[in-house]
Every structure is written in C-alpha cells, then in structure tokens.
Amino acid sequence: MSSLEADRGRGPGAAPEDPERLGLVLVICAPSGTGKSTLVRRLVEEFPRFAFSVSCTTRAPRGQERDGVDYHFLSKDDFLSMRDKGEFAEWAEVHGNYYGTPLAPLRKELDQGRDVLFDIDVQGAMQLKRSFSDGLYVFLLPPSRAELERRLRGRGTDAEEAIRRRLAGAAKEMHAATEFDHWIVNDDLDRAYEELRAVYLAGRSKPVFLPGLLRGILQSFEEEG
C-alpha cells in the first residue's frame, strides 16, 4: 500500500512542475524475494522526479511517525466514509487495519506533471488500473520457484513457516501477472534494472502524457512557415 518519492521535502533536487506533460502512474508488483525493493530504489535514485502521495491508515502511529507526513492516521469510521465516497485510488485491509491512497492529491500531482511510483500488492494494482488505465503496470518475476526459495532462505530473516507462506503467496500472485503490461524476469539485477528503466522512459513518451507537445511544435511550424 505504499507509493514512493525521490525527495519528500521538495527541496532543490525535487522535480519541478511540468506544464507540457501529465504525470504518469508507474506500478511495480512482485512476489516477496524477487528483488523489487532493490530495483525500485535504483530507479528512484536515478530519476529524482517521482512525487509522493501520503497514504491513509487506521493503524496507530509507530515510533516517530507523524500525521500528514508518514501517513494520514484516520479512525475506522472516517476511513470507511472516504472509501464509500470513492475517495481512494486504491485501498485494502491488512491484518485488521485499513490502508488507502487518497485520489484527489494523486490526481493533483499527475496534473502538475509529476510521476508517481507505486510499490504495492496485486490487489492494489488492479484497483489503480481501474482509475488509471493509461499507467505503466510492471510485474517482476523470479527465474524459478527454486531460485525464489533460495533467495528467501538466504535473507535469514524468516522462519520456516513464513517462507512457506511467502512461496504459496508468490504462486497466487504470479497467476495475476497476465493483468500487467510488462514482465521483467529478475535473473540478473543489472539487466532487470535496464529493462525497468527502459519501460519507464518509454512510458514517459506516450502521447497521452504529452497533450501539449505536438500542439506547440505545430504552432512553431505555422509561425515560421
């Protein structure tokens, strides 16, 4: 249920508004252990233009988390009221708590030409696709079940039961891969990153995200013709 930002403070390195283009939604899903976090981190480091959408949740704040910065912390009643009014781009219930991405701030970022990257589960991705069908939906695949199990065990952080649960979940998630626009097999990290990078760059040139570009160029021909 998370989206990522390159510069939360919108300081000198933050992406400026771009009136010549609309922002795109980039959604990346993968079974646990596929290497998604590493690839997403590399993409955000190279392209400091991704905007951040603060998610809503009904869980209590943890540690130093601040309302409106890390999450919008809502009561269950308030969250369900927003959900019923269609105010979330995507939402889900996880371990008894609700999480969701507010739709209005997300549309504002996109209208200002900022791209938004989502590192979320399949359920959230499918909800986003209903609202943002022109987005880029990428599914990362492990080379095989054996390799995925090797990676999960190699992390040394999960008990046997958790590993079995993650492998079972991976099998279910990969059945949803056909709903995605792009597949990338992460058998080599550098090659997988180059493919992800290429998908993103190609997506930024789609006409739907550049409504004023052709008009401006054609106008220059008319003025000089």
Side-chain angles (χ1 to χ4, degrees), residues 8 52-80 82 88 97-102:
R8 178 172 294 188
F52 178 71
S53 176
V54 180
S55 298
C56 298
T57 183
T58 59
R59 72 161 173 79
R62 297 170 183 164
Q64 301 300 313
E65 289 180 336
R66 292 176 294 166
D67 183 50
V69 177
D70 299 285
Y71 284 96
H72 295 295
F73 294 99
L74 305 178
S75 69
K76 182 178 179 180
D77 287 343
D78 286 343
F79 187 100
L80 294 179
M82 289 181 65
F88 288 119
N97 292 306
Y98 289 93
Y99 296 81
T101 301

Side-chain angles (χ1 to χ4, degrees), residues 47-183:
F47 299 101
R49 57 167 60 113
F50 290 106
F52 178 71
S53 176
V54 180
S55 298
C56 298
T57 183
T58 59
R59 72 161 173 79
R62 297 170 183 164
Q64 301 300 313
E65 289 180 336
R66 292 176 294 166
D67 183 50
V69 177
D70 299 285
Y71 284 96
H72 295 295
F73 294 99
L74 305 178
S75 69
K76 182 178 179 180
D77 287 343
D78 286 343
F79 187 100
L80 294 179
S81 176
M82 289 181 65
R83 181 199 66 180
D84 293 344
K85 292 176 183 177
E87 295 179 6
F88 288 119
E90 56 86 25
W91 68 273
E93 183 179 5
V94 181
H95 304 307
N97 292 306
Y98 289 93
Y99 296 81
T101 301
L103 184 58
L106 174 56
R107 289 196 183 280
K108 181 179 179 180
E109 296 285 8
L110 297 172
D111 289 344
Q112 292 176 339
R114 300 191 182 104
D115 300 333
V116 182
L117 189 155
F118 285 86
D119 169 7
I120 56 177
D121 60 17
V122 170
Q123 178 184 351
M126 293 301 96
Q127 291 184 47
L128 277 173
K129 200 168 188 178
R130 289 196 288 270
S131 299
F132 300 97
S133 60
D134 291 323
L136 302 176
Y137 294 83
V138 181
F139 197 94
L140 302 177
L141 294 158
S144 66
R145 184 189 186 282
E147 175 60 18
L148 182 62
E149 181 175 357
R150 186 192 69 78
R151 293 178 187 179
L152 289 172
R153 294 189 183 281
R155 297 195 302 196
T157 57
D158 295 321
E160 181 66 26
E161 181 181 350
I163 291 174
R164 293 182 182 275
R165 185 169 60 250
R166 292 183 187 279
L167 288 171
K172 293 180 181 178
E173 289 175 312
M174 285 190 287
H175 281 293
T178 55
E179 301 295 327
F180 288 72
D181 304 315
H182 303 274
W183 294 350

